[in-house]
Amino acid sequence: MRSGNHTISQLQVHVVWVTKYRYHVLKGDVQKRCRDLIVQVCDAEDIRILKGVVSKDHVHMHIEYPPSLSVSDIVKKLKGRTSRKLQMEFKELSKRYWGKHFWAIGYGVWSTGNVTQDMVDEYLEHHRNPSNKDMGTMILE
């Protein structure tokens, strides 16, 4: 849980992205360096890694992030910085496989957390005025 001067939040997502053409290049030193770079980016951006896996052709991360960041900005920073650094440090990657891009375009993201849709609905039902019972899903308090 995060709290600021005027906010409280717990924003968690599961993010997945893959190497271009799903090439199996995240092995050995490249895999270790990729992991280290991801940790550096997350530390710099105040992102908590709840769990993460760097596989041979993709990355899975379960993260908790501040409300000042958007998921798209987070992924952009993670993919951009790791791509640039890995290709600079491992010249064979940029020459042999991709040219300019290390990661495939796009990513998958799913929200996670400890609140279910049923819990939210139940909470909102407690605020319903009895005269609003037949008014659908919008509640007037």
Side-chain angles (χ1 to χ4, degrees), residues 108-127:
V109 63
W110 299 266
S111 61
T112 64
N114 58 357
V115 178
T116 66
Q117 184 66 43
D118 289 339
M119 292 166 78
V120 172
D121 290 347
E122 183 179 326
Y123 174 80
L124 292 175
E125 272 306 313
H126 289 302
H127 290 77

Side-chain angles (χ1 to χ4, degrees), residues 23-36:
Y23 283 140
H24 296 182
V25 294
L26 297 172
K27 300 182 273 188
D29 290 339
V30 176
Q31 184 182 45
K32 290 175 188 167
R33 184 63 176 141
C34 183
R35 178 195 58 205
D36 294 343

